[in-house]
């Protein structure tokens, strides 16, 4: 039996307070008034019999008990969001075929969950799911070999294509842990020029009139992150890329981009001749999965990403 005073709303309020340290910001996130946020926190602390935050500090800081409880609360909220996604799966039994492609940024977390959810709902259909680079996905969609593609937007006008924005993924700087002024003392590790992410980064640097020595050009994202963690240089990536490289986090750290904020948009694309209710529902499912599987864990690990890494639509 759940103890009296322990509520889902209270957990959501506590998580928002822990993330922002501000009653006002927690109220904005949860859609409650500030007095209601304070009351929810008091109810939760009373139910648990301990203070979760240091009420005498601004911004609020978690107590030791609060830090311990936060990990449990985040796990509960993440599982509830996943459960919501699973319950919200639409009936796709009327489809005879469904083919969808995704960029490989999601191989660790979202793609496996999405594949199982879609397969469960495609009771009598032929189902194909592949991972490719963004540029290759656009080619497959244009050739009508895919019904839908989840990809970074290229920035170009796409004829005959409907876009459903999913998430804003800001560019960030990653550097070896503890490195001081890495941009001055270490080389720039680039993505391979053929990749869409490389073109987006290079275009931004050109607009900022910034040039860096061209020594390293790496086509493998994980190899690039491994090189950063080994202290061989610094790189520009995104939170989705950073979280995908969790095995290297002990050796590197994330920083805001030091040359102006810029971001890429991850969207679901489909051709106009296939733009019925199904893509909208699949987009909604992916947004929920992204929130629970990627965005919430990323913001918990890198709090300053709050408000920058976010679901769209």
């Amino acid at each position: 039996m759940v103890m009296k005073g322990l509520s889902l709303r209270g957990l959501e309020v506590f998580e928002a307070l822990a993330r922002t340290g501000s009653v006002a910001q927690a109220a904005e996130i949860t859609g409650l008034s500030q007095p209601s946020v304070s009351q929810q926190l008091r109810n939760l602390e009373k139910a648990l019999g301990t203070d979760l935050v240091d009420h005498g500090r601004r911004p609020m800081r978690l107590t030791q008990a609060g830090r311990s409880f936060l990990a449990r609360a985040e796990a509960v909220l993440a599982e509830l969001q996943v459960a919501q996604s699973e319950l919200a799966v639409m009936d796709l039994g009327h489809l005879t075929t469904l083919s969808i492609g995704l960029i490989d940024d999601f191989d660790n977390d979202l793609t496996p969950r999405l594949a199982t959810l879609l397969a469960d709902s495609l009771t009598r259909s032929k189902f194909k799911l592949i991972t490719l680079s963004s540029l290759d996905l656009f080619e497959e969609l244009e050739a009508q070999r895919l019904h839908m593609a989840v990809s970074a937007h290229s920035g170009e006008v796409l004829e005959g294509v409907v876009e459903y924005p999913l998430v804003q993924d800001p560019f960030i700087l990653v550097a070896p842990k503890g490195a001081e002024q890495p941009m001055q003392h270490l080389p720039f590790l680039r993505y391979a020029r053929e990749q869409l992410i490389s073109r987006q980064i290079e275009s931004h640097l050109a607009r900022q009139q910034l040039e860096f020595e061209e020594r390293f050009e790496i086509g493998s994202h994980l190899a690039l992150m491994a090189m950063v963690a080994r202290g061989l240089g610094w790189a520009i990536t995104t939170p989705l890329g950073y979280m995908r490289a969790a095995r290297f986090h002990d050796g590197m750290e994330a920083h805001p981009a030091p040359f102006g904020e810029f971001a890429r948009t991850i969207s679901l694309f489909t051709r106009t001749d296939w733009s019925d209710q199904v893509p909208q529902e699949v987009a909604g499912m992916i947004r929920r999965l992204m929130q629970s599987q990627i965005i919430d864990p990323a913001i918990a690990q890198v709090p300053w990403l709050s408000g920058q890494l976010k679901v769209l639509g």
Side-chain angles (χ1 to χ4, degrees):
M1 180 181 293
V2 177
M3 64 181 66
K4 185 178 180 181
L6 191 62
S7 67
L8 175 59
R9 202 52 156 162
L11 295 181
E12 291 174 333
V13 164
F14 171 61
E15 190 274 336
L17 278 169
R19 190 195 318 167
T20 64
S22 162
V23 170
Q25 290 184 55
E28 182 177 351
I29 290 170
T30 59
L32 298 175
S33 66
Q34 293 186 36
S36 294
V37 166
S38 298
Q39 186 62 54
Q40 288 285 348
L41 179 61
R42 284 194 295 270
N43 292 344
L44 182 59
E45 289 181 324
K46 183 178 179 181
L48 296 172
T50 186
D51 286 342
L52 298 175
V53 301
D54 183 345
H55 294 270
R57 303 188 65 171
R58 295 292 183 275
M60 287 184 174
R61 299 275 184 88
L62 297 183
T63 62
Q64 180 61 48
R67 288 191 292 272
S68 297
F69 186 69
L70 177 62
R72 303 293 186 186
E74 288 175 334
V76 169
L77 292 172
E79 284 302 313
L80 285 171
Q81 288 173 336
V82 170
Q84 180 186 16
S85 296
E86 293 174 343
L87 290 172
V89 171
M90 72 298 296
D91 179 13
L92 302 179
H94 65 286
L95 296 177
T96 57
T97 63
L98 176 64
S99 57
I100 183 169
L102 297 93
I103 49 176
D104 55 12
D105 299 59
F106 307 124
D107 279 354
N108 290 1
D109 25 53
L110 184 141
T111 300
R113 180 78 71 165
L114 178 64
T116 56
L117 291 177
L118 288 175
D120 282 345
S121 61
L122 291 163
T123 54
R124 297 179 298 276
S125 310
K126 183 178 179 181
F127 177 45
K128 177 181 179 181
L129 186 147
I130 61 173
T131 58
L132 291 170
S133 70
S134 288
L135 297 176
D136 288 337
L137 285 173
F138 287 129
E139 288 184 6
E140 293 294 299
L141 190 64
E142 185 177 10
Q144 300 187 37
R145 289 189 288 268
L146 289 176
H147 292 118
M148 291 180 279
V150 176
S151 168
H153 196 292
S154 65
E156 301 175 358
V157 176
L158 302 172
E159 296 291 341
V161 172
V162 179
E163 178 183 6
Y164 302 88
L166 300 174
V167 65
Q168 175 179 290
D169 190 28
F171 286 95
I172 61 176
L173 185 145
V174 289
K177 185 158 288 187
E180 296 184 4
Q181 298 183 319
M183 295 175 61
Q184 281 72 44
H185 301 123
L186 294 171
F188 177 29
L189 307 177
R190 285 178 160 88
Y191 284 98
R193 300 279 188 178
E194 296 79 13
Q195 296 173 294
L196 177 58
I197 190 172
S198 176
R199 298 179 187 181
Q200 293 171 323
I201 292 169
E202 296 299 332
S203 294
H204 182 77
L205 294 179
R207 288 193 296 270
Q208 300 295 314
Q209 299 183 329
L210 292 170
E211 293 185 4
F212 299 97
E213 183 182 6
E214 298 189 22
R215 287 186 56 199
F216 297 98
E217 188 176 329
I218 311 299
S220 163
H221 170 73
L222 291 180
L224 191 68
M225 296 298 101
M227 292 172 70
V228 172
R230 286 290 299 274
L232 298 176
W234 58 275
I236 302 171
T237 188
T238 71
L240 296 188
Y242 177 73
M243 295 303 291
R244 186 177 159 210
R247 73 182 79 169
F248 303 118
H249 285 181
D250 288 346
M252 65 181 186
E253 52 196 9
H255 305 277
F259 27 74
E261 291 185 6
F262 66 121
R264 64 177 184 169
T265 298
I266 306 296
S267 298
L268 182 144
F269 299 92
T270 186
R271 296 190 59 80
T272 52
D273 55 8
W274 210 76
S275 57
D276 62 5
Q277 189 67 22
V278 172
Q280 296 180 41
E281 294 180 343
V282 172
M285 181 198 303
I286 293 175
R287 291 187 190 105
R288 292 189 293 271
L289 288 174
M290 283 184 168
Q291 186 71 52
S292 62
Q293 301 293 298
I294 302 175
I295 295 176
D296 288 344
I299 292 175
Q301 186 169 336
V302 187
W304 53 262
L305 287 172
S306 179
Q308 299 182 54
L309 175 65
K310 59 185 179 181
V311 163
L312 301 173

